[in-house]
Amino acid sequence: MPAAAEPTRPCAEDFDPAEDVGPARDLDLAEVLAALGHPVRLDIVRRLASGERTFCGEVVPDLPRSSVTHHLKTLRESGLISRRPQGRKLYLALRRDELERCFPGLLELVLACRSRPLDSECDEQPL
C-alpha cells in the first residue's frame, strides 16, 4: 500500500534557509505560537512591527549576543522574521504579509496583548 501523501499547507512555498530574502517558508501555527511564547522573542516581534529598519545588533542590545542569536534563529525558523544582508549588517523584517495571509488577525491580537500572567486578559478583547 503506498504511503499517504503529506498534506500540503495553504502557506507552503519554496524556502531556502540560507537565503532569507526569499518568500516565506511553510508557516505552521504551532511553530509560530511557540516562537511567540517567549517574552524576549515577543519583544523582538513588537520592535519589528513598528516597521523601522532594525539590524541584528540593535534589536535587543541589553542581552548577550549568544542569546540574541538563539532568539533570532527561533523566529527565523518559525517563519516570523526574515533577514536581509546589507554591507556588513543583517537587517531584520517581520513577515507581516505572510502572517496575515496565513493566520488573519493573529499578529494584531498578539501585538495588542501585553506580557502578563496567564490568568490575566489582553488589553483588547477580540470580537
Side-chain angles (χ1 to χ4, degrees):
M1 184 172 183
E6 185 176 325
T8 58
R9 297 180 192 166
C11 299
E13 296 181 29
D14 294 333
F15 178 74
D16 178 3
E19 186 175 306
D20 277 333
V21 295
R25 60 182 287 285
D26 291 356
L27 289 175
D28 179 72
L29 182 59
E31 289 180 22
V32 169
L33 293 175
L36 291 170
H38 193 281
V40 171
R41 292 191 291 265
L42 189 56
D43 186 49
I44 292 169
V45 168
R46 285 189 178 121
R47 289 175 191 228
L48 295 176
S50 70
E52 292 182 30
R53 288 180 46 150
T54 306
F55 69 94
C56 294
E58 69 182 9
V59 69
V60 188
D62 54 337
L63 281 182
R65 186 175 181 181
S66 60
S67 295
V68 173
T69 300
H70 166 74
H71 291 301
L72 292 178
K73 179 182 176 193
T74 301
L75 290 169
R76 255 191 350 268
E77 289 177 349
S78 71
L80 280 164
I81 66 171
S82 65
R83 62 185 181 175
R84 180 179 302 277
Q86 187 172 9
R88 296 183 61 177
K89 295 182 179 181
L90 284 174
Y91 284 90
L92 304 172
L94 186 61
R95 292 185 181 269
R96 186 182 288 269
D97 293 338
E98 292 92 342
L99 286 166
E100 187 60 29
R101 182 173 45 84
C102 294
F103 313 113
L106 175 66
L107 186 59
E108 291 306 315
L109 180 63
V110 167
L111 295 174
C113 293
R114 294 187 200 161
S115 295
R116 294 184 180 175
L118 293 176
D119 60 345
S120 58
E121 297 189 19
C122 295
D123 294 338
E124 297 178 19
Q125 294 297 317
L127 297 177

